[in-house]
Amino acid sequence: MRGKKYIAFTLVILIFILGELNTWNDEYAQVESFRGASLNQELFHPLIAANVNETGAMTLSIDGSSYRNQGDGLYLDESLHVLAELSYIRDIFACSARGTDESKIVLKRNGTSYTFKVDATEYAVDGKIAEDGSTVLNTTPRYMNESYYLPLEDIAHLFSFGFSFDTQTYAVSLDSTLATASKLPTSYDLRDEDRVSEIKDQGSQSTCWAYAAVGALESSCLPEENLNFSADDVVSNNNYNRTAEDGGDYRVAASYFLSWNGPVTEGSETSESVGKHVQELHFYTEDDIDDIKWAVYKDGGVSTSIYVDVSTDTLTGSSYYNKSENAYCYRGNNSPNHDVVIIGWDDDYDKSNFANSVRGNGAFICQNSWGTDFGEDGVFYVSYYDTNIGKAAVSYVGVEDADNFDKIYQSDLCGQVGTFGYNRSYIDAANVYTAEEAETIEAVGFYALGENTSYKISVVPDYSNTKDLIQPVEVASGTVDNKGYYTIRLDQKLEVAAKHKFAIVIEIETPDCIRPMAIEYQADDLGTEVDLSDGCGYLSKNGMDWESVEENYDANLCLKAYTNKVK
């Protein structure tokens, strides 16, 4: 609604300006064409840019495929130049890009470091500014709304991407055909980038899973924000009712964050002190070594599970640990029982450093939660050939301020416990909610259970029965690359009246997956506390005939909705 009002207001201003232009006398009619063009740009471009930014009218495609909406990631300046927020830059160009002190942005790609200054066109390459003027941008980087932006066309040309921007449709297109491919460095350490959180000590409690999750989350916010979140609150307020003695895993931590229970700042453990909203997670396995490296490089620390064979906090008695080199490698068949944070890697880390014979060189650099007396000030090296390293690994990709949405609607407080499907790669699902007040449906959250998951999201703004699910209003579609949880901003935002029911409908397809829908149900392994009374979910084989997931399968759908109040 606000966008429509803004468009109307802008049109009134344009009509007024045109009227003023038509009152010019003959003297001004002789002004040269170039001056008229300049005047038009000065008058109209800021108005156009403001309208485009307000309504979110810009679209982005890469090699002909639509890039999924991520909120305020694109910005049009007063001269109609396109800027992109650093999360876009990292994802599109496969690089590390971080801002500091509200004044500087450091981008690293293929062994080269680029340093940009906010509101300045000149930049440095590996610390040097070219004397021939070649290190100059056409558009200045910006710091706005606590986020850093780089000029998209300049960065595209820097890495040989094709770039075009249609000023009529506000469509941005990138072409990577001739682009220089991005490669991982042979070694990388977040400690060198000021992107590791404080080393903490879990003591004698079984809470490593909470400390690892918090450590990875804090790392993902660095260096822009140096935050200190409470691992104790993850334990005491998780939706599984796990205690410090019970232990837990990445699923318990993920559900705590995704349900907006937290994170909260250390020392202020109340629901009102939730400082961030986690909106996107990526999941990995022990087979995804390179993907985990990319996640560390672009998004910060990655939590992972390993097996440790002693109960002491020093690994002194372990035959798999070389204390003199702080090197660890377990090659047995035991399941993971400890979580740490991967903060880097070294492909050339010598295999002779490990206590036992290892097939090859290479190690992940891992941050532990046993205090600074352990290892190398709390850090140790785990071989690539460790049986479990990379299992249940999680990266925190989308971490936003807690005012990003006014309300979350959900029935899956425990998050993904299991999966459901009809023995094929696609399924239709719908969750029905009742709006607490007049609201605009802004975004939808769901789990992608495999790579290259495609989705089509629709909304029924005034739901009465399952017949309404047959022809909902399509509001977003696309494909996500990685396994994980995603929040998709809607291309069309629909209003729902107070106390009225609305439905979120998703058609989802995951290649090579016969159960592509995430569900919450009563599982025994973690003592899941599932409340089926808060859900009203439906599943369908064909989008026409719907069955209740609560009544037929004793489960809730993992399909959330995010809204803002109508102002």
Side-chain angles (χ1 to χ4, degrees), residues 230-245:
S230 171
D232 289 340
D233 192 72
V234 182
V235 177
S236 60
N237 288 314
N238 70 82
N239 296 311
Y240 286 72
N241 292 329
R242 306 292 291 179
T243 68
E245 291 73 31

Side-chain angles (χ1 to χ4, degrees), residues 11-21:
L11 289 174
V12 170
I13 295 297
L14 290 175
I15 292 171
F16 172 77
I17 292 173
L18 288 172
E20 290 297 308
L21 291 174

Side-chain angles (χ1 to χ4, degrees), residues 175 204 218 421:
D175 185 348
S204 60
E218 291 171 345

Side-chain angles (χ1 to χ4, degrees), residues 166-179:
D166 189 326
T167 56
Q168 302 300 312
T169 62
Y170 312 118
V172 183
S173 299
L174 293 173
D175 185 348
S176 67
T177 304
L178 301 177

Side-chain angles (χ1 to χ4, degrees), residues 460 465-472 505 507 542-546:
V460 179
N465 56 55
T466 54
K467 292 181 180 179
D468 296 330
L469 302 177
I470 297 175
Q471 290 185 314
V505 185
E507 298 177 30
N542 52 23
M544 300 289 290
D545 304 303
W546 297 83

Side-chain angles (χ1 to χ4, degrees), residues 410-461:
Q410 57 188 332
S411 59
D412 60 322
L413 292 178
C414 290
Q416 181 196 344
V417 178
T419 61
F420 183 90
Y422 294 112
N423 291 316
R424 58 192 186 189
S425 62
Y426 57 92
I427 195 171
D428 289 15
N431 253 358
V432 178
Y433 298 107
T434 301
E436 294 183 358
E437 51 191 307
E439 299 170 57
T440 302
I441 305 170
E442 300 281 339
V444 169
F446 65 92
Y447 288 87
L449 302 183
E451 296 179 351
N452 301 314
T453 292
S454 60
Y455 61 87
K456 183 172 78 172
I457 298 171
S458 303
V459 170
V460 179

Side-chain angles (χ1 to χ4, degrees), residues 63-78:
D63 298 331
S65 298
S66 295
Y67 187 78
R68 63 187 179 85
N69 192 331
Q70 291 190 18
D72 299 325
L74 293 178
Y75 177 83
L76 195 63
D77 74 5
E78 296 82 355

